Amino acid sequence: MSRFTAIPHWRAPIGCLLVALLGSSSGCLGGPDFEPYPARVARPRPDEIVRVEDSILVVDASGSIDRKLDFPFEKAVLRSFIDGMPPGTYWSALRVLGGRADDQLELETFDRFELQRRAIELDWTGRETPLGEILYEYRERLANRTGRAAFVIFSDGVPTRYGRYAGGDETLESARQVIARHPGEVCFHTVLVGRDSRGPDLLAALAALSDCGSFRHIDTLDGNDPLLAFQRQIYLDSPLPVAPSATRSITDLDRDHVDDRLDRCPKTPHGAQVDPRGCWVIEDYVFETGSARIVSEQVSALDAIGTVLLSNPGLRIRLDGHTDNTGANDQNFQLAERRAAAVRDFLAAGGVDVLRIEIRGFGPTRPIDTNDTEDGRRRNRRVEISVLDR
């Protein structure tokens, strides 16, 4: 299958396309400028959950990738892939084969906006392809994680060292060590970029190391339906069967009544009112609709936060404003920051040193629930309190 079967979705200049189809890229000034298509978000159905705890995207920008055709096409697919990732509180990373230190995004709570920004800025580097080295790093980073880890690897499958083909043994051994050290399930989903005959052997073998892996060519991800099916395979699953109840002790170092194994905000101070994730949140009802004005009848919720801060004078926090996706992006970012600033000013007026408080506005970019329902949108509209140090 030609990579250009996807042209109805991946828009390239006609002149460059004809040149590429004729087998030459000369005179194309960098090759076609592929553009991503808007992907359908892989949202869980009522009987599904996002099973992945850690999602590591690996993209190939190394010298073995064709710079004029394969790399721009790979980058466009990556951008659509990020657009279609399911919302949730799982962790994600973006690692670049051949990339510079500034290109690498380590594991952090899934942030579609940040992943997309990194993908847009991604450039071909012409450097080596240290896939084995990148996988080896996760031998330790995932050692204490218990949920499913999914590696999604876009590559030509041609590891190089000092400009020469290095074979796949190092890569496969690194992957085996990740699997051996990780308490949970590890899945390798590999996507072959380009036509190098050596690539399928390594990428297919990598995918076969566990029962949940997969291998495909990038040309098969040529539209909304196949991309959505691919992402559903990676991220979504039925809930695990409920084991018979048994008495067990929980670890709760911050005493917020959320097991540390499930706590997404493990440093909340004693007395903070947390949501089911263990995070300290000011809910939407504290503010007037579409406004940063605090409802006078709801100031008790903010007074409680002030009491906790005054009882912990060494505590520094950041107020993160969030909205749903209704309305214009610019207005949402402004509203998120104004609400965070309003809480800061309220706390300062109550005696909390303003130098202990930072603010940020994330707008709609970090949802904790779906924006397809009113309840989900309500949960997404919040000011979240992040503890910087204690």
Side-chain angles (χ1 to χ4, degrees):
M1 181 187 297
S2 165
R3 72 170 59 84
F4 297 106
T5 57
I7 287 303
H9 303 290
W10 310 92
R11 298 183 292 280
I14 297 300
C16 290
L17 173 57
L18 293 176
V19 169
L21 288 171
L22 292 172
S24 169
S25 59
S26 61
C28 205
L29 296 179
D33 182 18
F34 294 101
E35 291 292 336
Y37 57 77
R40 292 161 57 192
V41 177
R43 301 188 187 280
R45 295 168 180 157
D47 60 342
E48 294 175 325
I49 61 170
V50 177
R51 178 62 59 79
V52 168
E53 182 179 39
D54 299 290
S55 171
I56 299 98
L57 307 183
V58 182
V59 59
D60 202 332
S62 67
S64 59
I65 289 282
D66 177 74
R67 179 178 191 173
K68 295 183 177 180
L69 297 177
D70 290 329
F71 177 74
F73 186 63
E74 174 192 21
K75 180 175 175 178
V77 174
L78 174 68
R79 290 178 59 190
S80 284
F81 184 94
I82 292 170
D83 276 346
M85 292 172 70
T89 55
Y90 57 95
W91 290 43
S92 61
L94 179 62
R95 304 302 306 275
V96 183
L97 296 175
R100 303 171 179 84
D102 290 345
D103 295 328
Q104 314 300 333
L105 178 64
E106 301 297 345
L107 278 171
E108 60 178 38
T109 302
F110 170 61
D111 182 343
R112 195 187 313 277
F113 177 81
E114 179 62 18
L115 286 172
Q116 195 62 265
R117 184 184 71 81
R118 298 267 183 156
I120 291 170
E121 294 178 356
L122 191 63
D123 288 322
W124 183 89
T125 67
R127 295 184 174 188
E128 303 287 359
T129 315
L131 179 55
E133 294 177 15
I134 286 181
L135 295 182
Y136 188 81
E137 294 176 18
Y138 289 92
R139 185 178 70 111
E140 299 297 335
R141 291 177 184 174
L142 297 178
N144 297 318
R145 310 281 286 171
T146 57
R148 178 182 292 175
F151 289 82
V152 184
I153 301 171
F154 296 87
S155 175
D156 60 359
V158 184
T160 56
R161 190 180 298 278
Y162 307 116
R164 298 181 179 179
Y165 177 59
D169 291 346
E170 177 185 341
T171 300
L172 292 172
E173 178 57 28
S174 294
R176 292 188 188 100
Q177 292 193 34
V178 173
I179 293 172
R181 295 288 296 268
H182 184 46
E185 191 175 32
V186 179
C187 313
F188 293 98
H189 299 276
T190 57
V191 180
L192 177 64
V193 180
R195 300 290 171 180
D196 195 300
S197 60
R198 297 166 293 185
D201 291 341
L202 171 59
L203 296 184
L206 191 58
L209 290 178
S210 61
D211 293 337
C212 58
S214 67
F215 166 68
R216 56 183 38 76
H217 195 279
I218 196 169
D219 285 348
T220 64
L221 302 177
D222 63 352
N224 273 319
D225 289 341
L227 184 62
L228 179 63
F230 180 38
Q231 294 187 308
R232 291 185 57 80
Q233 177 185 3
I234 297 168
Y235 294 104
L236 306 183
D237 204 346
S238 301
L240 291 171
V242 178
S245 59
T247 303
R248 66 173 180 86
S249 60
I250 70 170
T251 302
D252 184 17
L253 295 179
D254 58 4
R255 297 182 293 168
D256 62 357
H257 306 294
V258 177
D259 192 329
D260 286 349
R261 284 168 286 192
L262 305 174
D263 199 333
R264 287 291 181 177
C265 304
K267 298 193 296 182
T268 49
H270 184 56
Q273 297 298 311
V274 301
D275 67 6
R277 301 171 302 141
C279 295
W280 199 5
V281 170
I282 301 166
E283 297 188 43
D284 179 55
Y285 68 81
V286 171
F287 304 96
E288 294 183 1
T289 303
S291 168
R293 187 185 301 276
I294 296 168
V295 177
S296 58
E297 292 82 1
Q298 305 298 339
V299 296
S300 59
L302 302 184
D303 284 334
I305 295 168
T307 299
V308 173
L309 293 176
L310 292 173
S311 300
N312 294 268
L315 186 68
R316 293 179 60 250
I317 63 169
R318 186 182 66 237
L319 300 170
D320 297 332
H322 303 271
T323 68
D324 61 27
N325 67 352
T326 305
N329 255 4
D330 288 347
Q331 294 176 357
N332 282 328
F333 276 101
Q334 293 170 13
L335 176 60
E337 187 165 344
R338 286 192 291 111
R339 283 187 165 185
V343 174
R344 177 197 59 195
D345 295 344
F346 180 93
L347 296 173
V352 179
D353 186 350
V354 73
L355 296 178
R356 296 169 55 192
I357 306 172
E358 297 179 10
I359 66 168
R360 288 202 300 186
F362 288 100
T365 61
R366 294 191 176 185
I368 58 174
D369 205 335
T370 178
N371 278 306
D372 291 338
T373 67
E374 179 52 41
D375 283 344
R377 290 190 293 272
R378 176 183 51 77
R379 289 195 68 215
N380 289 335
R381 299 190 297 266
R382 69 202 188 279
V383 174
E384 199 158 301
I385 307 171
S386 300
V387 175
L388 301 180
D389 53 49
R390 300 183 65 173

